[in-house]
Structure formats: C-alpha cells, structure tokens
Amino acid sequence: VKEGNGPAQMKALGMPESLVSVNPGAILGPVLHPDHSFSLQLIERLLDGERAIPKLGYNVVDVRDLAVLELAAMTSAAAGGERLIATAEFTWMTEIAEILRDRLGSDASKVPTRNAPDFLVKLIGRFDGSVKSIVPLLGVKTEYANDLPRELLGWRPRPVAAALRVPAALLRAADGSGYLVAEPAVSEQERALIRADLALLNVHHDVFFSERTLHADNAAKIRSAITDLTLKGHIYKGTL
C-alpha cells in the first residue's frame, strides 16, 4: 500500500485513519532464508573478492533494530501519522570493507583494498546496466535524520559494525549455505500472515518472489519492464 493512498483506503474500509510508515535503509543482520537480499549481496561480493570498491555508501540498519521499531510504531499511539526513517548511520563501502577485515581476519582475506576510479565505473556502466544504475550515486553522501524515532519511541539502533558481524560470519558458514534456513512450513506461515494483513486493506497478494531474481542476467527483467513501460508512455522523467 503506497503511503499516499494508504489513509484513504483505510478510511474507506472503516479502519482507524492513523497510519505510520517505517522506511529503512540497507538492511543487514541475521536472516532466515538462503536467498540473499540486495543489501546482503553487497557484503557477499566484498567477501568473494570484488576487484575494487566503487565510491558508494549506504544508510545501514540492522534487521533486529528495524523489527523493534516496526513493533513500537504499531503499538504506540504517538507514532500515528508519522513517517519514521529507520537508519543507523551512513557508511561508505570502503568503511564496510575495513570492518569486515577487522572482524573476520583471514576469512576476509579476499575483501578488496583498492578503490575503483569513478571514470572506470562510468565506462563499465556504458555496457553493464546494473553498473549504470549506480553511476549517479558515486561519491554522493546522503544522510537521513532518525531523530524522530529516537525521540518519539526511544529507538536506539546498534552501530554498523554490530549489524555487519552476523551476516559476515554466516556467509562463511561451514555448511556453505551461508544462512540459517527456516523450514518451508515456517516460510509459508509467514506468507499467510502477510496475506492476511494485506487482505484487511483489501489488497490480495498471492505471488511471492525473491528480489534477487530481478537482478539475474544483468537485471534483464528490470530493463525489459522499463522498456515496455517507456514504449507505452508510462515513464515520467523529471526532477523531484
């Protein structure tokens, strides 16, 4: 449900109009599924020995802190009508690499120490759609204020180093899976809960898929969808 039409839908269904949205940054921390999210793929690529690190950074949050904030937002009347930014702090990828080397020692031996020059990233972006998408973000430091959830709900996100410790260790799990994997029945139970929550808003969502599949084959599905929408005149290009 989009933030913009969420209150209207809730009012039409006779539900309380107090809507709160929680907007996270790059989500790290322990997971229960072997299908790595885009955020965790960043860590995986560093551990697997990406040749060089582009000048990119992300606003990071630990999934456990995000869960705490979402629960507090749902159960606190004071949060009604608010838009909460769920990030701990902005962190450059070079800083993430340093933390991995410091925390994991020999297990982080493949983590690169070289920086990728901007001109090289831009050049590669001409031929690689997945790289082209990050070119506008090179060297850009974007920080979001998380004062509101801190002051309103007493939220205290843990440092980035703590958020990195768990996924980095699990990615090097002895069984090679990289993650603690939940039983399929648990996963289906989670889907059932999501369906039930969405049904309350008259939203029926039956198809679940991994975000990672969208980035397969050089993000072919994403590029195909954008091309199709462009040809149909559904893409708006402008300045916000």
Side-chain angles (χ1 to χ4, degrees):
V1 179
K2 294 183 179 179
E3 291 180 57
N5 63 14
Q9 288 193 28
M10 295 173 73
K11 183 177 181 179
L13 294 170
M15 301 176 66
E17 297 177 40
S18 182
L19 176 70
V20 57
S21 61
V22 178
N23 301 272
I27 305 172
L28 300 178
V31 296
L32 296 174
H33 199 282
D35 215 351
H36 308 168
S37 68
F38 176 75
S39 300
L40 286 167
Q41 286 179 46
L42 298 174
I43 309 302
E44 188 176 27
R45 287 201 295 268
L46 289 175
L47 290 171
D48 287 343
E50 193 168 52
R51 292 186 178 182
I53 305 174
K55 194 174 182 180
L56 293 173
Y58 300 92
N59 287 275
V60 176
V61 65
D62 190 291
V63 67
R64 293 164 291 186
D65 296 325
L66 177 59
V68 168
L69 180 57
E70 289 181 337
L71 180 59
M74 288 189 289
T75 55
S76 173
E82 299 292 352
R83 188 172 188 267
L84 307 177
I85 304 299
T87 62
E89 56 187 303
F90 180 92
T91 309
W92 293 106
M93 284 189 66
T94 50
E95 296 173 320
I96 291 176
E98 290 176 6
I99 293 172
L100 292 176
R101 287 193 294 268
D102 179 62
R103 297 278 177 171
L104 297 181
S106 60
D107 284 336
S109 59
K110 293 183 179 180
V111 174
T113 56
R114 296 182 300 173
N115 295 330
D118 288 354
F119 79 86
L120 181 59
V121 178
K122 293 177 181 178
L123 179 62
I124 296 174
R126 293 184 178 182
F127 309 97
D128 188 329
S130 62
V131 175
K132 183 179 180 180
S133 65
I134 69 171
V135 169
L137 302 176
L138 291 172
V140 177
K141 183 176 183 179
T142 305
E143 296 183 293
Y144 299 96
N146 61 7
D147 298 341
L148 185 58
R150 286 176 177 272
E151 296 172 1
L152 192 66
L153 302 172
W155 188 57
R156 296 293 182 268
R158 68 200 70 202
V160 172
L164 283 169
R165 185 184 304 117
V166 175
L170 291 177
L171 280 167
R172 287 295 174 261
D175 63 2
S177 67
Y179 289 89
L180 303 174
V181 182
E183 294 295 325
V186 175
S187 180
E188 182 54 38
Q189 289 174 2
E190 292 174 344
R191 292 191 186 101
L193 289 172
I194 294 172
R195 290 191 184 99
D197 286 343
L198 291 174
L200 293 174
L201 296 170
N202 200 27
V203 175
H204 303 286
H205 184 68
D206 296 318
V207 179
F208 289 79
F209 68 96
S210 166
E211 176 187 350
R212 192 177 190 180
T213 62
L214 293 177
H215 298 273
D217 301 323
N218 194 21
K221 291 183 179 180
I222 296 176
R223 290 186 286 108
S224 175
I226 292 175
T227 299
D228 182 55
L229 291 171
T230 301
L231 292 174
K232 293 179 179 178
H234 297 321
I235 295 292
Y236 169 78
K237 294 183 179 180
T239 302
L240 295 178

